[in-house]
Amino acid sequence: EDLVPKTYAREFARLLDQTPAAGMDYVSEVIRRRTKKSPDELFTDFDPKAIASASVGQVHRARYKGVDVVVKIRRPNVVETITLDNAILGTLLEWLRPFFGEHYLYRGFEVLFAEYKRIVVGELDFRIEAQNAERLRAQQPRHPRLVIPEIAHELTYEDLLVMEFCEGVRIDAVETIRSYGLDLGELVEALLEI
């Protein structure tokens, strides 16, 4: 809210987990295309209602091999949309170059845009998320309070990810975190250490 008006900040925050979910037909199609099985064949239980739906993907609760899991599905057309958005923003930056050249604000936007592209492209491929989870797991002995969900690697694809369900609280739910008696300063220090 410090960088953009509150109205925009609220709308951007909705993109974190309140984007309308794609229908079950799409979810089933992704699962079937990747696994050659329907959700009913693959999971002993599958909730067709998404528990969260963000700009890149949506998450469903399920049960797989006796374990409560979440099934993350990449949203339809998100790769094409983000690729087009990146191309438009890149073109806009190129058009502005003659006017702003080496101005520090322009250079800052170029660096910011390059970093944004790197991050968002990584978010589009759920295999990278699985790799990052395994990298964190390798560090877990150093951080005993850190819980990394187990990944079902046999169900990991660029647009589908199945992992152990872990009860949790969003990092921006400050009051809820406080209600658990957690010290926010210690939590921030632990996150920075990771």
Side-chain angles (χ1 to χ4, degrees), residues 92-103 106:
L92 181 60
L93 275 174
E94 286 301 315
W95 285 348
L96 293 174
R97 183 184 306 262
F99 301 104
F100 297 101
E102 294 301 314
H103 191 277
Y106 177 81

Side-chain angles (χ1 to χ4, degrees), residues 134-143 146 193-194:
E134 294 304 337
R135 216 172 288 126
L136 279 173
R137 185 182 319 292
Q139 296 181 17
Q140 192 172 12
R142 290 183 21 219
H143 306 285
L146 179 64
E193 188 179 311
I194 296 168

Side-chain angles (χ1 to χ4, degrees), residues 91-130:
T91 300
L92 181 60
L93 275 174
E94 286 301 315
W95 285 348
L96 293 174
R97 183 184 306 262
F99 301 104
F100 297 101
E102 294 301 314
H103 191 277
Y104 74 96
L105 284 177
Y106 177 81
R107 296 293 301 143
F109 279 118
E110 277 189 323
V111 169
L112 185 64
F113 179 58
E115 185 65 8
Y116 161 80
K117 281 196 319 187
R118 185 187 67 75
I119 291 169
V120 81
V121 167
E123 291 286 318
L124 293 174
D125 189 339
F126 295 164
R127 296 172 297 189
I128 294 172
E129 183 174 340

Side-chain angles (χ1 to χ4, degrees), residues 43-54:
F43 304 100
T44 53
D45 188 30
F46 188 93
D47 187 350
K49 186 175 187 298
I51 59 172
S53 182

